[in-house]
Amino acid sequence: MATENQPDAKPDFDQLAEDLLAKNVPIKRSVDQDWLKYAQTFNARLQYEPALIVVPNKVLHVQEAVVLAAKYGTKVQVKSGGHSYASFSTGGIDGIMVIDMQEMREICVNHVTGVFRVSPGVRLGELDSTLYNLGRPVGYGSRAIAHGTHRTGLAMDHIIALDVVLADGRHLAQVSRTRNPELFWVSTSLERRALRGAADSIGVVTQFYLQSKEAPDTILNFRFAFTGIINNVNDAVKTFKHVQAFAQDPEIVDRDLGLSVFINGDALIISGIYMGPHDTFFNVILPALYNDQCLPEADIVNIKTQTWAEYSGIPEDDATPIITQKDREQQSNFFAKSVTVSKPIPDAALVKYFRFLQGQAKKASVGWYVIVNLHGGPDSQINTRSSSFAAFGSYDALWVFQHFASVGVTEKFPEEGFELLEGMNSALTQELDEYAAELVYVDPTLSRDEAHELYYGAELYQRLQGCKRWYDPLNLFDHPHSIRG
């Protein structure tokens, strides 16, 4: 009997490969010497084996692949950067067709409008460097799903149009507020929302069009490290409460501040960037944040001025970084979970959380860390959006917690690692009335229904289901957490 993620009958991949080659569509099979270059996953813990990999270098190749996949009854997933935490870009299961977009790597800039067009095979380093060297530095994180800055919002908020190949092979150019309205179902905004955040369930994006934002010439990068603070639960709770109160003070915090808390072992690090006037940082923000009445003395205090290029890791010689095969073969062996909260975390939850970190977490044999990113607070441009704008369920988040555990690439990931992160999530959420999870830090241990509830919420998911039924009724684009019609 077929499982939920497997077709009823095994597709004839040999014949499918022949048909693709007959149409001059580049493909890779497991017998090819460079197979691993395309099949290897970023997360070594979750290695899946595609039946066939298409490596298009033009839109027509994508269209031919999608049409033939539907004809032969195979599921399809798209691989761009390939950094899915759950290896969903390699299918999340064995035996499907993967469309690897790494050969489609074009970047074009309109210097009049500031709109740039980028193909899905472009890596972030390439994009940042190219735009910077063309005089259009992007003032937000360039991940097209759910990263960005307090100042500008998420990167995907600035996607103004997309080119997409649908499940029937049609290629829609510049799907936007105004283009292709006759092909939209219900409203032009529903499909645009679906593609911004749930595109892997709807079609194959072949071009992104984004509006650039002016980046600051310089930023202030700050870091305060407190060693041993996790050993004392009261001190850890007091520290986080101070940071949380600071982050919500409208007299101090505005969109120009980015803030994170990093926890590893017995250390807690408060770090961030400030893009506003330097005088404001030193006279207002710094005294309020690094307050000796609320914080212990830091072991490390580091404040430095950086150019945007330095902050973004752009080479000083203006050279666009060359993405080598070694870069693409880098792996990590890990498991991650996340929690997003839209309200201040109460004392009871913080006490349970830091007790867990001080106790069970410190005894763990696996490596682990916690990153807590400030998404909300006064003047946050992330919070100005909602799920009516894009298929993203955490626009209202105040804090985003990422829990991460790892071992050596060649080691077997132990059960202890799963239990550790489950414990972290549980300790944090037991005292919370409501919480969600971050789609970027996808957790493959969640069921499909659990993932949809945590990542999208019931109302948004219902709307996405309608879009899926209209554009992909046969569920061609599928992985273990994808939208089902």
Side-chain angles (χ1 to χ4, degrees), residues 223-287:
R223 180 173 179 264
F224 312 119
F226 305 88
T227 303
I229 196 170
I230 303 301
N231 296 330
N232 187 307
V233 171
N234 290 334
D235 285 349
V237 170
K238 180 181 178 182
T239 297
F240 194 92
K241 285 178 62 179
H242 167 66
V243 173
Q244 182 164 254
F246 163 85
Q248 297 176 89
D249 190 337
E251 299 298 320
I252 300 171
V253 173
D254 63 16
R255 70 183 66 182
D256 286 328
L257 180 73
L259 188 66
S260 297
V261 176
F262 178 84
I263 304 169
N264 177 234
D266 64 358
L268 183 149
I269 299 171
I270 301 170
S271 64
I273 60 171
Y274 186 66
M275 302 185 189
H278 290 197
D279 286 350
T280 301
F281 177 81
F282 286 107
N283 295 329
V284 179
I285 292 173
L286 181 59

Side-chain angles (χ1 to χ4, degrees), residues 328-395:
R328 295 188 183 276
E329 290 177 355
Q330 288 181 343
Q331 285 188 297
S332 183
N333 187 359
F334 66 93
F335 174 53
K337 291 182 75 72
S338 66
V339 176
T340 68
V341 294
S342 58
K343 300 176 182 178
I345 302 170
D347 291 5
L350 290 174
V351 169
K352 283 191 174 181
Y353 185 63
F354 282 106
R355 278 179 180 165
F356 185 88
L357 297 185
Q358 192 272 337
Q360 291 96 313
K362 282 197 67 179
K363 300 173 186 176
S365 61
V366 299
W368 63 270
Y369 63 76
V370 177
I371 299 177
V372 190
N373 288 322
L374 178 67
H375 268 212
D379 201 32
S380 167
Q381 296 306 290
I382 297 174
N383 288 169
T384 61
R385 307 290 190 185
S386 72
S387 60
S388 64
F389 179 79
F392 183 69
S394 296
Y395 274 118

Side-chain angles (χ1 to χ4, degrees), residues 44-64:
R45 185 176 67 81
L46 297 168
Q47 180 65 57
Y48 298 105
E49 188 76 2
L52 183 150
I53 300 176
V54 175
V55 191
N57 55 51
K58 57 184 177 181
V59 172
L60 180 60
H61 292 159
V62 177
Q63 293 178 277
E64 299 281 15

Side-chain angles (χ1 to χ4, degrees), residues 116-136:
F116 61 93
R117 173 168 55 87
V118 57
S119 304
V122 174
R123 292 295 187 94
L124 300 184
E126 294 175 283
L127 178 60
D128 289 341
S129 292
T130 300
L131 294 176
Y132 184 84
N133 294 332
L134 289 173
R136 297 299 310 191

Side-chain angles (χ1 to χ4, degrees), residues 303-318:
I303 303 172
K304 59 183 177 181
T305 301
Q306 291 182 302
T307 65
W308 184 258
E310 290 171 334
Y311 171 68
S312 302
I314 297 171
E316 294 182 1
D317 59 3
D318 291 340

